[in-house]
Amino acid sequence: MSVDTHLSSVQLDIVREELEGQLFRWTRQLTDLETAVNDDAVEVSTKSGILADIVSAERNLAVVRQALQDVTELTYGRCDGCGLAIPFERLKARPLARFCMLCQRRHETR
């Protein structure tokens, strides 16, 4: 695995801090959802929606954890489409961005 990044250590710290905040929020939301789904006072018809939200929260947690791992391994910020560096401005606005703008447009038009 190639260990290189186009981001400075300061930029990586900014992104890491944002991702850790997202990790905290998703973890808290997942805990709240799990508590709600196990609450006997919650209607059975409501529980299916909560279960769907749990699946979504778990998926989001996995994405955030992978991004944090990529930051640690210094492989974060490369486009999944073309492999080029994703500009820091885009990553700062969307820390979970997987594509550069050109590949994102291509991906959306499929």
Side-chain angles (χ1 to χ4, degrees), residues 2-110:
S2 170
V3 179
D4 65 64
T5 184
H6 63 286
L7 302 172
S8 71
S9 61
V10 171
Q11 290 171 325
L12 283 171
D13 286 343
I14 290 168
V15 170
R16 183 182 296 111
E17 186 175 307
E18 172 59 30
L19 291 169
E20 287 172 348
Q22 287 187 26
L23 182 69
F24 175 79
R25 289 187 294 278
W26 281 115
T27 301
R28 186 177 63 214
Q29 182 175 357
L30 182 60
T31 300
D32 292 346
L33 289 167
E34 288 171 339
T35 299
V37 82
N38 291 319
D39 187 345
D40 292 334
V42 173
E43 297 282 330
V44 172
S45 61
T46 305
K47 288 189 180 194
S48 64
I50 295 171
L51 289 170
D53 290 342
I54 286 172
V55 170
S56 178
E58 288 172 339
R59 188 177 315 119
N60 287 322
L61 270 169
V63 170
V64 172
R65 285 185 180 118
Q66 182 60 56
L68 280 167
Q69 182 177 340
D70 292 346
V71 168
T72 299
E73 294 174 356
L74 301 178
T75 58
Y76 174 83
R78 295 280 169 195
C79 176
D80 285 356
C82 66
L84 296 176
I86 300 172
F88 174 68
E89 294 75 24
R90 176 161 168 73
L91 294 171
K92 186 176 176 188
R94 297 187 55 88
L96 298 176
R98 295 179 33 225
F99 300 102
C100 66
M101 287 305 297
L102 182 60
C103 289
Q104 182 67 42
R105 286 187 193 102
R106 286 183 195 142
H107 184 73
E108 289 173 357
T109 58
R110 287 186 198 169

